[in-house]
Amino acid sequence: NPPGTDRCAPGGGPVSARTTLSVPEELRQVLTEPPPIPGSNPPVALQRGDLALSIPGSPAPIVLRGEAEVVLGRLAPGENSPTVDLAPHHAHLLGVSRRHALLRSAGGRYSLQDLGSSNGTWLNEQKLPPHTPYPLRDGDQIRLAQLVLYVHLPRGS
């Protein structure tokens, strides 16, 4: 919620306590950096069945090479690990759940589904209902809570 708000944005209930967290400088830069242009050249060479996820402010994309199922989330001690740990990208501060979303590949095409996350999953700024797969295209924007990722697929996918 923005500073000075007395109602919670999702449900409209009163904000009973205010907590201020300092935002690390590197995260502040990521949040204000302009996003990549959708459909721009992938950051790496991709083959059929590959997918790359770029995160604004991150030097290298996350490359998935022909994996059938990938869980996006953040590592928490003593729990099932996600396939892709987004903790290095400030996932905790940005509201990413431990097991937030699933990427599934079938026939060289990927889909995205929310795994019942606490703070939601968006595809091109459309909130996804939990446990329903949606196809991915090159240049799509995925938002896990407040963490933004861009999809890169091989040409012709």
Side-chain angles (χ1 to χ4, degrees), residues 23-30:
V23 177
E25 182 57 34
E26 64 269 18
L27 179 56
R28 189 171 304 153
Q29 290 171 356
V30 167

Side-chain angles (χ1 to χ4, degrees), residues 10-69:
V15 175
S16 56
R18 296 179 196 254
T19 304
T20 302
L21 297 174
S22 61
V23 177
E25 182 57 34
E26 64 269 18
L27 179 56
R28 189 171 304 153
Q29 290 171 356
V30 167
L31 293 173
T32 58
E33 194 171 286
I37 298 167
S40 62
N41 290 331
V44 293
L46 299 174
Q47 303 298 319
R48 180 172 165 73
D50 292 352
L51 177 140
L53 298 170
S54 60
I55 300 173
S58 182
I62 299 164
V63 179
L64 307 172
R65 300 215 181 261
E67 305 204 29
E69 289 192 349

Side-chain angles (χ1 to χ4, degrees), residues 62-80:
I62 299 164
V63 179
L64 307 172
R65 300 215 181 261
E67 305 204 29
E69 289 192 349
V70 173
V71 174
L72 302 173
R74 58 183 173 81
L75 186 60
E79 297 199 13
N80 289 339

Side-chain angles (χ1 to χ4, degrees), residues 3-146:
T5 304
D6 7 352
R7 296 272 175 206
C8 183
V15 175
S16 56
R18 296 179 196 254
T19 304
T20 302
L21 297 174
S22 61
V23 177
E25 182 57 34
E26 64 269 18
L27 179 56
R28 189 171 304 153
Q29 290 171 356
V30 167
L31 293 173
T32 58
E33 194 171 286
I37 298 167
S40 62
N41 290 331
V44 293
L46 299 174
Q47 303 298 319
R48 180 172 165 73
D50 292 352
L51 177 140
L53 298 170
S54 60
I55 300 173
S58 182
I62 299 164
V63 179
L64 307 172
R65 300 215 181 261
E67 305 204 29
E69 289 192 349
V70 173
V71 174
L72 302 173
R74 58 183 173 81
L75 186 60
E79 297 199 13
N80 289 339
S81 302
T83 313
V84 174
D85 178 21
L86 297 169
H89 304 283
H90 310 287
H92 180 73
L93 288 174
L94 294 171
V96 176
S97 296
R98 291 177 190 102
R99 296 177 58 80
H100 197 107
L102 175 71
L103 294 172
R104 183 175 280 142
S105 174
R109 302 205 179 270
Y110 276 91
S111 65
L112 170 71
Q113 75 179 36
D114 180 83
L115 293 175
S117 64
S118 298
N119 295 312
T121 300
W122 284 259
L123 179 58
N124 300 319
E125 292 305 319
Q126 297 294 312
K127 188 170 186 186
L128 304 182
H131 309 292
T132 304
Y134 289 85
L136 291 175
R137 297 179 316 232
D138 187 49
D140 279 348
Q141 180 195 70
I142 296 172
R143 184 161 54 88
L144 309 177
Q146 295 302 312

